[in-house]
Amino acid sequence: MELDGTPVSIVQTEGEVFAIHDICSHANVSLAEGEVDDCHIECWLHGSRFDLRSGKPDALPATRPVPVYPVKIEGDDVLVSLTQES
């Protein structure tokens, strides 16, 4: 999805909801198409994994983090602030 022109992926895992920049820092591909495991999302193209809490990569080839955004749940609504947490 895009919020104000920013690609964002919303992920629910481990009982929490996360918002992470939807473009891999290694290759210009959508992270939303990747696999989620625990609190990590894996880029489908080259296998880089990013921590959904911090955006930091924990598997090569990515070496740069991707932004993560604050999430607030209000009833059935998921509110995302584009102010970066990291």
Side-chain angles (χ1 to χ4, degrees):
M1 79 170 19
E2 279 201 17
L3 299 174
D4 293 333
T6 300
V8 176
S9 180
I10 307 295
V11 179
Q12 183 176 4
T13 184
E14 300 292 307
E16 294 185 67
V17 178
F18 300 94
I20 190 166
H21 193 76
D22 191 33
I23 304 298
C24 178
S25 63
H26 171 257
N28 191 25
V29 298
S30 172
L31 290 175
E33 297 177 37
E35 300 260 338
V36 174
D37 181 33
D38 295 322
C39 287
H40 294 86
I41 191 165
E42 182 177 313
C43 177
W44 63 269
L45 187 59
H46 295 117
S48 293
R49 285 174 32 105
F50 298 90
D51 189 307
L52 291 167
R53 298 162 292 207
S54 67
K56 293 179 181 176
D58 66 0
L60 295 174
T63 59
R64 294 183 331 236
V66 293
V68 296
Y69 307 104
V71 173
K72 183 177 180 181
I73 307 297
E74 288 187 358
D76 292 335
D77 296 326
V78 177
L79 307 176
V80 178
S81 172
L82 291 181
T83 302
Q84 294 180 19
E85 288 186 344
S86 67

